Amino acid sequence: PKDFPTSPASMNNLSVTSKSKSAALSAERLLQEMRNEPTGRLQPDVISYSAVISAYATCLDQPHGLERANDLLHELEDLAVREHLESSSRGRDARRYETRSIGVGGGRHPYGFRPNPVVYNTMIQSYANIGDASSAEAILDRMISLYSSSLQENLGSGAFRSVRPNTRTFNMVLNAWSKKGGAECGGRALSIWKRLNIIALEEERNGETYSRPDVITFNTVLAALAKSADVENRDGKEKIVGEAAAQ
């Protein structure tokens, strides 16, 4: 086709600015054409998939868009595992992907299909936008599970070492519950806040500060508790206020 990309980089530079379902469908067709290109020189990568996932996740046709985005995210994860296993079987470390050129002429992203927090954060924000806090939290659970498994290097799980939820990820899920409101939002926000604190303590012992509560975290949890009809969370609110003051 006349508008077919000449390299993975040119595909990755395409921007889907329309929020229509047709724009997302067009982006997915282009992605499939890249995968089916006979010479194999236009194989897509994590950026290619992220663009199409974002197109579906943010389009106006919901919840269908997010359902398709979730399917594509699973497809990306499967491709990442397969690529990681193939690399390992050839005796090459996953870091070998970093040597691939992404300069003039356009090569694939250094990490190949390996997903990163950006694509998951896009899903979380999109679920929050339609008021589906439970699905937003499920994406966070998925990230934690994938990252934890990657540290054990089992069955290709090393492909997910970049899928590490950060403070922004937790704050987005907290915001989803705060925006949703209702009887359970305070309890869910409190639970997520506790999980973040546990992870922050573990990171602190390792000299890391990747995920730790910030001002946005505390304010969002407090907002969720204020909207919650669950009076049992009153003690949790007082604890959070105390810890925020100690920061």
Side-chain angles (χ1 to χ4, degrees):
K2 184 178 180 181
D3 59 350
F4 193 75
T6 57
S7 70
S10 61
M11 163 60 184
N12 296 345
N13 288 331
L14 294 177
S15 175
V16 183
T17 57
S18 173
K19 300 297 182 183
S20 68
K21 178 181 178 181
S22 61
L25 288 169
S26 296
E28 184 176 1
R29 280 196 294 270
L30 186 56
L31 175 67
Q32 293 306 319
E33 287 183 28
M34 289 181 70
R35 291 200 62 185
N36 296 330
E37 197 275 326
T39 68
R41 67 185 180 86
L42 294 179
Q43 279 299 296
D45 54 25
V46 59
I47 305 300
S48 314
Y49 267 86
S50 294
V52 182
I53 289 170
S54 178
Y56 274 114
T58 60
C59 78
L60 299 178
D61 181 32
Q62 299 301 343
H64 171 269
L66 273 164
E67 290 172 356
R68 184 59 190 144
N70 202 33
D71 289 342
L72 287 168
L73 181 55
H74 279 295
E75 184 175 304
L76 173 62
E77 291 168 349
D78 290 342
L79 288 168
V81 170
R82 187 185 312 166
E83 189 171 62
H84 183 78
L85 288 173
E86 289 175 353
S87 174
S88 299
S89 69
R90 290 192 297 266
R92 297 184 303 177
D93 187 85
R95 287 173 299 188
R96 178 69 176 272
Y97 294 127
E98 298 176 14
T99 65
R100 296 183 178 181
S101 170
I102 54 174
V104 177
R108 298 177 73 228
H109 188 276
Y111 287 170
F113 288 119
R114 197 185 337 173
N116 55 52
V118 175
V119 63
Y120 294 91
N121 286 352
T122 298
M123 295 287 291
I124 289 172
Q125 185 59 58
S126 297
Y127 278 123
N129 289 341
I130 65 171
D132 190 350
S134 295
S135 292
E137 185 175 350
I139 295 292
L140 172 63
D141 292 340
R142 184 163 157 188
M143 292 179 72
I144 293 173
S145 176
L146 287 172
Y147 178 69
S148 297
S149 68
S150 75
L151 301 179
Q152 302 172 20
E153 197 69 52
N154 291 329
L155 299 176
S157 59
F160 303 112
R161 288 194 175 180
S162 297
V163 182
R164 186 179 187 180
N166 50 32
T167 301
R168 175 175 169 78
T169 308
F170 279 91
N171 286 347
M172 292 171 72
V173 179
L174 288 169
N175 186 55
W177 279 111
S178 179
K179 288 174 62 176
K180 181 179 177 63
E184 65 176 337
C185 76
R188 294 311 313 150
L190 198 59
S191 174
I192 294 166
W193 174 74
K194 290 177 180 177
R195 292 174 70 186
L196 174 56
N197 274 284
I198 292 172
I199 291 174
L201 287 173
E202 292 176 352
E203 290 182 351
E204 187 176 341
R205 285 194 290 267
N206 295 326
E208 300 174 319
T209 57
Y210 196 76
S211 304
R212 61 186 306 174
D214 59 13
V215 173
I216 295 174
T217 308
F218 286 105
N219 287 344
T220 308
V221 176
L222 289 172
L225 288 169
K227 294 179 180 179
S228 178
D230 187 355
V231 295
E232 293 182 2
N233 288 321
R234 186 174 303 163
D235 291 340
K237 182 176 181 180
E238 293 175 355
K239 181 178 181 181
I240 289 174
V241 171
E243 292 201 12
Q247 293 293 307

